[in-house]
Amino acid sequence: MKKIKGLIKRIMPEKFLGIIKRILYKGSKLMDHYMPKRIKYRGVVKLSSYDSVFPDFEMAIQRLRFGPLAYLLAYGGQLSVERYVEGVRRGILPFFTDKDPYLWWIADKRCIVPLEAVKIDRAVKNIFKKHIMDITVDQAYDSVLMGCRDSHEGYVWLTDERMGLYRELFAAGYSHSIEVWQDGDLVGGLIGYNEGRYFLIETKYGSISNASKYAFAAICIRLKESGYSICDCGHWPTTHLERLGAKVIEYQEFFEVLDDEVMHQCPVDDWEKLFENWDSEEAYLAYYESYKKK
């Protein structure tokens, strides 16, 4: 196969080869869009609108992938708080666009951040030490949610239905917003899911440089201070997350940690007061000293 590909590259002009690739790519997208669900999702479990039980991990269809690691486990059902919470407890997350049914994914590996190993670069370190930005929790949830959607052109998975679910999760006490402010203006933040001592970072944004990285580093340090051990980053590891200290672990190891963490009582009594009277410089220096000892 490699020899054939090499021969094609030698005899066909690169420009013409690029045109063929684009035509094939567009054709595959059209087929994917118009292909009937009974063919596209053949072999995938279709969930009932009333039953909240997910199939076993082994029933995931590996030919249908989200990113490099996640496989399609099921489709359909309902997008409710109860269904979402049950999914998260089993390592299952929904990702879909406006044109898809609800798609539920699971991975044989997971991207997590051990909170004792968060990496903080020089620019973010200066924000901590010079008090350049302020941070709050649950003071501007909807604004952060809208910021995450509007600041990323490719965030087609943040559909109106998904946004509605996040608002319901917030009202139910599962979802929280971490807001970053500068001179009184909201400049970034993140949305996270919490249950027990488990925290999942779902989406983040920054309208100025380093605002989202500061939100990430600050919540990781503050959670570590509160007794948490990991932050979950979901199914899809990226180079950016690896620079922040993320690593990939096997599903079984992740599930054992997840199962233990959600069973603990949440150490945070009042999320809105999580950063009240919190000195970012002192917190950073204390974290840095503990990090050096590792």
Side-chain angles (χ1 to χ4, degrees), residues 47 52-56 73-74 83-84 86-88 90 92 104:
L47 297 176
S52 63
V53 177
F54 286 98
D56 293 333
L73 179 66
R83 170 88 61 159
Y84 187 83
E86 176 62 24
V88 169
R90 294 187 54 191
I92 302 163
W104 303 89

Side-chain angles (χ1 to χ4, degrees), residues 40-57:
K40 184 175 181 180
Y41 301 118
R42 180 177 292 163
V44 183
V45 173
K46 183 178 181 180
L47 297 176
S48 162
S49 298
Y50 308 101
D51 186 6
S52 63
V53 177
F54 286 98
D56 293 333
F57 175 88

